[in-house]
Amino acid sequence: PNGTALFDSLLVFENYPLGDALEPAKDSYQIEHFEGIEYTNYPLTLAVMPGESLGFKITYDQQRVSRQSIESLSGHLSGLLLAFADDPEQIVGRVSILTEGEIRQLQAWNDTAADYPKDKTLVDLFEAQVESTPDHIAVVFEDESLTYNQLNAKSNRLAHHLLGLAKADGQPLLSGNPLVAIAVERSLDMIIGLLAILKSGGAYVPIDPSYPAARIQYMLGDSQAPVLLTQSHLTEQLSLGGLEHDCVVLCLDQTDVAGQLSENLRVRSTACDLAYVIYTSGSTGKPKGVMIKQDNLANFLQDMRQRTGITASDKLLAITTLSFDIAALEIYLPLISGGALSLVTKAIASDASLLQQKLMSQAISFMQATPATWQMLRAIDWEAKSPLNILCGGEAVSQELANYLFENSQCLWNAYGPTETAIWSAACLLAPPFNTKPSIGQPIANTRIYILNAQHQLQPPGIPGELCIAGAGLARGYLNRPELTAEKFVEIELLGKTERIYKTGDLARWLPDGNLEFLGRIDQQIKLRGFRIELGEIEAVLGQHESVKEAVVSLYEADGNKRLVAYLTIAESEGLRVDEALFIDSLRDWLKARLPDYMIP
């Protein structure tokens, strides 16, 4: 009663003979009915009693298990037995154990159909807002700002310039829905460049200039981007000399577009065209490009606009690096809602005191960040001085942090979603008390979430399984990776219809109220400070070093801080021991030339 049970549940199959034990003593009494209850001190005990009929008895601790759970368990057991009676040869994991009531419940929780501008692109939505609020401030960076009209005109001029670029044979350099790389520091040029790429009919490939040269070259080569937008002071660190394909480097600070037209372009992407390709960590040692379409973003932004209630009077603080997909919400949500986008430098985004000053001085009303950033503000006892709408996502948020953020917010949303399903796929408006870790909420509009077992069968509410996502947010797949696309994006039959789902690799379950609880991973992928990291990628790169025989990387947590730790077996040469301290320093430098800083153990 006061300890921890060795097992959570016990199965007793009573197949021993009972006849002699139940014989009544002579001249004493006659047994008319016998029923024994054996208290096992386990939270859940299922006793099975075979005979002419099959009997079951369930004993459970009411303080740990609800009656509703027991009724659900009974229904699942009945369903399994009936299925086995029909076909004893079928695979257990492929038998659906859902009751009719649970099927109706899952259908209701996934009834998320809603209207959205499915035929519109980001450019369409932005230009419509330009017509509506031409003189409102659209974007602010340090001491500079642009109205919607000014931002539209500048991006139009750059887009016209891009479309005028030609190959040696005179053919347009950009045609169709090309991938255009962009590697710039946070600035007004970054926003102008993004819009110009989209207005020219292209899709952008964001590249963090701080990435190692080898990683940048791989991303440019894999995407075969014909144009790279950058800034002159970054060209040396980008190390573009190793590219094996023709790529025109356009420095935005040195490109004169004053003579170009400022009117909107006739070139138009379609809703089915790509909007961007973002590279995420890959388990094979190479990053993989996720292809997100225009209609994916149209649905997402429409939901976020309605969910958050953002208006033309709001100002959103954008702190996320462009190579992290949640940056798209920060940039485009205000720009399609008439609000102001306040852009800050990387230095401000990573310094709690400077970030606090920016929140206060600019009267920010919306901010999105990972729990790591919010925790950074909490560490300096930040308090919101004006009403702030908070979006928290990218990794699990603790109960303590959720309570702290609620006290410093007007509204607090916890959001969940992988890059492959267009940023956020589920969201929850949080409110205390937080007796357990906060839920990740329910599916957003036109999004369906299924919890499946290893055989792609639906798990009932309360039962853990892999979180799989269907609906309007699904990416086209992985660029140049058809095998991986086929592995992660699959078509299966669910609740009477064929669904294309993305297998996230996340472990989750439905809670009784229809919200989802995130439980971790089923593989080696982790989230650290919001970044998605495949531990296998780091291990694969470490294995390329001539002095590393074996490597294992894991996430280490102590005192609330998480960090990557690598365990190595060093390949000794000619019996000589390696100076481990010097070796670790040199190995870390070697890794920095191949992996981003956030992936260095």
Side-chain angles (χ1 to χ4, degrees):
N2 299 318
T4 301
L6 182 59
F7 304 108
D8 287 328
S9 59
L10 190 67
L11 172 65
V12 181
F13 190 71
E14 297 184 350
N15 60 343
Y16 50 83
L18 298 174
D20 295 340
L22 296 181
E23 285 294 326
K26 291 180 179 180
D27 304 322
S28 59
Y29 59 87
Q30 179 72 36
I31 294 178
E32 298 290 340
H33 175 71
F34 177 84
E35 179 177 295
I37 298 178
E38 179 182 358
Y39 290 98
T40 63
N41 287 331
Y42 292 101
L44 176 65
T45 300
L46 172 63
V48 184
M49 295 155 288
E52 291 185 5
S53 62
L54 196 58
F56 296 86
K57 183 178 293 179
I58 297 175
T59 308
Y60 64 97
D61 180 351
Q62 294 182 353
Q63 293 183 340
R64 293 189 56 180
V65 185
S66 69
R67 181 177 180 86
Q68 181 182 2
S69 296
I70 296 300
E71 291 173 349
S72 176
L73 175 64
S74 301
H76 301 156
L77 187 57
S78 299
L80 274 176
L81 294 170
L82 290 170
F84 295 162
D86 288 339
D87 181 7
E89 300 302 317
Q90 60 188 312
I91 303 298
V92 175
R94 294 178 183 166
V95 178
S96 174
I97 63 174
L98 294 177
T99 65
E100 291 185 4
E102 288 170 340
I103 291 174
R104 289 193 297 270
Q105 185 67 81
L106 293 178
Q107 288 173 329
W109 288 339
N110 275 312
D111 184 11
T112 59
D115 289 334
Y116 73 99
K118 61 182 65 177
D119 60 338
K120 301 296 185 184
T121 66
L122 283 172
V123 171
D124 296 328
L125 298 173
F126 171 67
E127 290 179 353
Q129 191 60 52
V130 172
E131 290 187 17
S132 179
T133 56
D135 298 321
H136 282 203
I137 296 297
V139 58
V140 178
F141 178 72
E142 295 184 335
D143 297 329
E144 302 175 284
S145 66
L146 294 173
T147 66
Y148 275 83
N149 242 346
Q150 291 169 332
L151 177 59
N152 192 50
K154 285 180 176 292
S155 55
N156 281 339
R157 290 191 180 96
L158 180 57
H160 280 291
H161 180 79
L162 291 174
L163 289 174
L165 297 176
K167 301 178 184 177
D169 59 3
Q171 295 296 314
L173 195 60
L174 301 183
S175 60
N177 184 216
L179 299 182
V180 179
I182 179 167
V184 297
E185 290 183 343
R186 301 175 69 77
S187 59
L188 294 181
D189 277 346
M190 184 180 85
I191 306 301
I192 294 167
L194 291 174
L195 289 172
I197 293 171
L198 296 170
K199 282 171 172 284
S200 65
Y204 61 90
V205 181
I207 295 176
D208 191 324
S210 67
Y211 279 175
R215 196 176 187 87
I216 293 174
Q217 290 179 12
Y218 173 81
M219 292 165 67
L220 288 171
D222 186 60
S223 65
Q224 290 291 294
V227 177
L228 168 65
L229 301 186
T230 187
Q231 293 156 316
S232 56
H233 65 279
L234 297 175
T235 53
E236 184 175 346
Q237 72 185 68
L238 291 175
S239 301
L240 302 174
L243 289 180
E244 296 180 357
H245 77 285
D246 292 332
C247 180
V248 173
V249 178
L250 199 67
C251 294
L252 296 178
D253 54 331
Q254 294 181 343
T255 301
D256 183 9
V257 297
Q260 299 289 345
L261 297 174
S262 62
E263 287 78 17
N264 292 337
L265 289 82
R266 293 182 179 179
V267 173
R268 275 288 188 269
S269 298
T270 69
C272 295
D273 285 333
L274 295 181
Y276 61 71
V277 173
I278 282 188
Y279 280 82
T280 67
S281 181
S283 58
T284 61
K286 297 290 187 182
K288 53 187 183 293
V290 181
M291 299 183 287
I292 296 296
K293 300 185 279 100
Q294 296 275 357
D295 57 355
N296 299 150
L297 291 176
N299 177 70
F300 167 73
L301 291 170
Q302 173 76 354
D303 178 277
M304 287 294 120
R305 179 160 60 178
Q306 293 180 348
R307 186 179 300 271
T308 62
I310 189 171
T311 67
S313 61
D314 284 305
K315 182 179 287 188
L316 188 149
L317 191 68
I319 66 170
T320 306
T321 175
L322 194 58
S323 56
F324 191 0
D325 68 332
I326 68 174
L329 177 145
E330 298 175 354
I331 294 170
Y332 304 118
L333 183 58
L335 292 182
I336 68 163
S337 306
L341 163 64
S342 179
L343 200 63
V344 298
T345 63
K346 188 175 182 179
I348 292 176
S350 57
D351 186 300
S353 297
L354 296 176
L355 193 55
Q356 176 179 238
Q357 292 173 19
K358 188 65 70 172
L359 283 166
M360 294 170 57
S361 64
Q362 295 204 2
I364 299 298
S365 56
F366 276 86
M367 180 171 148
Q368 170 191 250
T370 63
T373 296
W374 293 117
Q375 190 64 47
M376 179 179 74
L377 284 168
R378 182 187 178 191
I380 64 166
D381 294 325
W382 160 76
E383 290 184 7
K385 302 300 182 184
S386 59
L388 182 64
N389 297 278
I390 289 178
L391 289 99
C392 185
E395 57 187 320
V397 59
S398 67
Q399 296 169 237
E400 295 79 13
L401 183 58
N403 275 305
Y404 177 80
L405 292 178
F406 184 83
E407 294 299 321
N408 285 281
S409 68
Q410 178 168 280
C411 289
L412 171 61
W413 286 273
N414 191 31
Y416 161 86
T419 302
E420 288 84 348
T421 59
I423 310 172
W424 304 134
S425 298
C428 184
L429 184 60
L430 296 182
F434 302 111
N435 298 321
T436 59
K437 63 181 178 182
S439 160
I440 58 173
Q442 299 174 332
I444 69 168
N446 302 299
T447 300
R448 295 171 295 284
I449 291 181
Y450 302 104
I451 307 299
L452 305 181
N453 68 9
Q455 290 77 29
H456 294 165
Q457 291 295 320
L458 286 163
Q459 296 285 63
I463 308 300
E466 183 177 10
L467 191 155
C468 299
I469 303 173
L474 260 65
R476 184 181 293 176
Y478 298 107
L479 182 66
N480 303 324
R481 304 283 288 276
E483 300 85 1
L484 187 60
T485 299
E487 175 188 339
K488 292 294 186 180
F489 294 85
V490 299
E491 286 194 359
I492 59 175
E493 189 80 12
L494 290 168
L495 299 177
K497 62 180 179 180
T498 301
E499 288 272 36
R500 179 176 182 255
I501 62 167
Y502 169 65
K503 294 163 60 67
T504 67
D506 288 331
L507 193 66
R509 65 174 178 170
W510 288 103
L511 297 173
D513 61 1
N515 285 301
L516 290 154
E517 180 184 11
F518 176 80
L519 299 171
R521 290 290 299 177
I522 62 175
D523 58 14
Q524 275 198 301
Q525 188 186 107
I526 64 161
K527 282 286 188 75
L528 183 61
R529 294 183 288 279
F531 290 101
R532 193 168 90 179
I533 300 172
E534 294 276 3
L535 298 179
E537 179 176 359
I538 306 174
E539 292 170 354
V541 175
L542 277 168
Q544 296 168 11
H545 193 282
E546 59 181 6
S547 297
V548 175
K549 185 178 179 181
E550 294 175 298
V552 174
V553 180
S554 67
L555 186 65
Y556 179 78
E557 185 171 0
D559 300 326
N561 295 316
K562 297 179 180 179
R563 55 181 172 173
L564 291 169
V565 176
Y567 300 87
L568 309 174
T569 300
I570 299 172
E572 305 285 354
S573 59
E574 299 180 3
L576 298 176
R577 282 194 57 79
V578 173
D579 184 320
E580 293 184 5
L582 291 175
F583 175 72
I584 293 300
D585 287 342
S586 65
L587 181 60
R588 190 172 282 115
D589 290 339
W590 183 85
L591 279 177
K592 287 179 178 178
R594 292 160 177 81
L595 293 172
D597 285 343
Y598 65 86
M599 293 177 70
I600 305 298

